[in-house]
Amino acid sequence: MSRRALLKQRPRRPAAPRFVVARTGTAEGNGHPQAIPAHSEPMPAGDWREFVGRWLEIASCTVSDAARGDWEVGLSSALQKRWRRQRVRLVFDPLRATLPRGAWFTAPGSTAGRKILEAAREEPIVTRRTALPHVPGAPDDGFASVCRTRGLVWGAPRLGPVRYERRVAFHAVVTLWGGLPAQEPWILLVSPEGELIEHHRETELPDVRGREGLYQMEDELAAETCDRLASQARAHLDEMLAEREGEWERSVGKLRDDELARLSSFFAARVEEEEERARRRVPNQEGAELEDGGDTTSLKLEWDRRAHEVRQRWALRTEVRLWGLEEWAWPVTEIEQEVRSGAVHRKLTGRVDVARGRPALPACPTCGTPADMLVRMKGTIACVACGPR
């Protein structure tokens, strides 16, 4: 029997099992690394998936569900010219062993994710919405719901008419590079004058219901005004990121120090072994001693090079990308309420966020700063900071 016939009769060896390497993700908002659980089901839709879906919808793309939790996306004409294709399949499952032909693995930090963020950065999403009033628009006790008192009694609150003012929300994605990269959504709400009203590390404004369009506002923001507000919002974001970078540095600092300690112990042991080997050799072998000295020097140089690489890899670097702008018509009203204690009567005025049904902190009658607690002080009313200690 020929060799070829014997090879055909020999049973084939079973194929080796395929190993699937699970990508690692980051905990949302806190900056600490978190491993993706090892399971075969598709990952649940998170903030990144919601962001991609919202961006594709506003970019005039058609999104339909596909098998295994994927998306089949029909691109708009602008994205067709940009990406040179008419349709694309997006895969969000990080444990998928293989991808369909022509599909994109879409996740923060992936190639498709960077393409989406670059497109959103060059052409930020601009929407116009109206915040719906909360029912009731203000609490029955007025300032008493947000400001405590000691020895004082609140009167009945009086509310003014509801009016709508313009506010602008900037959506950004902050990427923290440094050993274990993390991406965080940020949203900043500013006034038309550029003052920071509130900020959140979320994808949407919390506790706010909205609808499309601007109520009682027909004029649009000029391009110069948008640029000015964007620069002011970026300045506010840089101030807040300084504190966030400190938190991130403390969270990854221990991991960096542990890696440097392991590297130092390894090379210190190697250098000690080389020095011990050199001492045990015969003294008259001059060439061997020179060679041993060269080995020790090369080990120390490699030690320094590897330590520099570790510090470079763990060096903190922050990247900010603006991807969306929301113009809001926000309902607000004025509130007037009396606070009294014996013969002392004071009327306090402030504003009420009708969208959340929550008044702002009243101003202290003495120093004028927002006060969360008021007390009586020598015939007048003051906050805790300027009151009796």
Side-chain angles (χ1 to χ4, degrees):
M1 186 179 293
S2 64
R3 179 178 178 83
R4 181 174 299 177
L6 289 174
L7 291 176
K8 288 182 178 179
Q9 292 180 359
R10 182 180 300 173
R12 293 187 177 182
R13 183 177 300 174
R18 177 176 295 173
F19 293 94
V20 181
V21 179
R23 298 175 176 85
T24 58
T26 54
E28 198 67 35
N30 56 9
H32 298 287
Q34 178 184 11
I36 292 177
H39 54 73
S40 59
E41 296 296 329
M43 295 297 295
D47 294 336
W48 170 254
R49 186 170 179 135
E50 294 177 2
F51 158 68
V52 173
R54 185 169 58 252
W55 181 80
L56 291 174
E57 181 182 358
I58 298 179
S60 302
C61 299
T62 59
V63 181
S64 58
D65 294 331
R68 305 180 67 181
D70 301 343
W71 284 356
E72 192 71 29
V73 181
L75 301 177
S76 61
S77 57
L79 292 180
Q80 289 179 9
K81 295 178 182 179
R82 181 186 181 92
W83 292 337
R84 299 179 181 273
R85 56 174 62 202
Q86 296 182 353
R87 304 182 65 84
V88 65
R89 183 166 179 171
L90 302 182
V91 178
F92 293 90
D93 183 9
L95 302 182
R96 185 76 59 84
T98 59
L99 298 178
R101 185 172 183 177
W104 286 1
F105 174 73
T106 308
S110 62
T111 303
R114 287 194 297 267
K115 288 183 178 181
I116 293 175
L117 287 177
E118 289 174 1
R121 185 180 183 182
E122 294 180 4
E123 299 180 1
I125 302 172
V126 179
T127 59
R128 294 170 177 83
R129 307 186 67 187
T130 297
L132 299 178
H134 184 271
V135 180
D140 297 335
D141 52 357
F143 284 131
S145 61
V146 295
C147 181
R148 298 171 298 165
T149 58
R150 189 169 60 195
L152 301 173
V153 179
W154 288 103
R158 297 177 58 186
L159 300 176
V162 177
R163 57 185 176 85
Y164 286 81
E165 66 176 17
R166 192 189 304 271
R167 296 183 181 182
V168 182
F170 292 91
H171 295 261
V173 174
V174 177
T175 305
L176 299 171
W177 300 94
L180 298 174
Q183 284 188 327
E184 300 174 350
W186 283 74
I187 179 170
L188 285 79
L189 189 66
V190 299
S191 65
E193 293 76 22
E195 299 178 358
L196 180 63
I197 300 176
E198 57 184 274
H199 68 278
H200 305 277
R201 278 161 57 180
E202 299 180 10
T203 56
E204 295 289 344
L205 290 171
D207 304 329
V208 176
R209 298 179 301 114
R211 64 173 180 84
E212 299 299 326
L214 294 176
Y215 182 67
Q216 295 183 354
M217 294 182 185
E218 297 181 357
D219 56 329
E220 298 181 358
L221 286 177
E224 296 79 6
T225 306
C226 290
D227 296 339
R228 176 179 58 84
L229 292 177
S231 61
Q232 293 174 342
R234 179 59 190 268
H236 294 310
L237 183 59
D238 290 340
E239 294 178 1
M240 292 179 289
L241 285 181
E243 182 179 357
R244 180 67 186 96
E245 288 176 356
E247 297 176 2
W248 180 254
E249 179 70 23
R250 289 190 293 271
S251 64
V252 301
K254 186 178 184 303
L255 300 177
R256 178 196 57 209
D257 296 341
D258 291 344
E259 186 172 354
L260 287 174
R262 290 193 298 267
L263 186 68
S264 299
S265 61
F266 171 75
F267 277 99
R270 288 292 309 278
V271 170
E272 186 178 356
E273 290 177 1
E274 290 295 333
E275 292 176 350
E276 183 67 22
R277 187 178 296 112
R279 284 195 298 267
R280 291 181 178 180
R281 287 182 177 170
V282 181
N284 58 6
Q285 294 182 355
E286 299 178 359
E289 291 181 0
L290 293 176
E291 184 179 357
D292 292 336
D295 292 342
T296 304
T297 304
S298 62
L299 280 175
K300 293 180 179 180
L301 291 176
E302 181 67 14
W303 185 356
D304 293 339
R305 187 185 67 82
R306 294 281 296 277
H308 181 69
E309 289 180 355
V310 171
R311 294 189 183 94
Q312 286 277 344
R313 189 171 69 252
W314 287 93
L316 182 61
R317 180 169 56 89
T318 306
E319 179 182 351
V320 180
R321 293 188 178 185
L322 175 67
W323 64 265
L325 184 149
E326 281 183 329
E327 190 177 353
W328 285 88
W330 205 277
V332 294
T333 186
E334 302 295 330
I335 182 174
E336 180 181 287
Q337 192 169 3
E338 186 181 60
V339 59
R340 58 184 180 272
S341 175
V344 179
H345 293 252
R346 281 296 181 92
K347 285 187 178 181
L348 304 181
T349 59
R351 303 183 68 185
V352 178
D353 184 355
V354 182
R356 295 190 175 97
R358 185 170 60 238
L361 292 175
C364 173
T366 303
C367 61
T369 58
D372 59 353
M373 185 172 182
L374 296 176
V375 296
R376 182 174 178 177
M377 180 186 69
K378 296 181 181 179
T380 184
I381 297 174
C383 62
V384 179
C386 55
R389 301 288 177 90

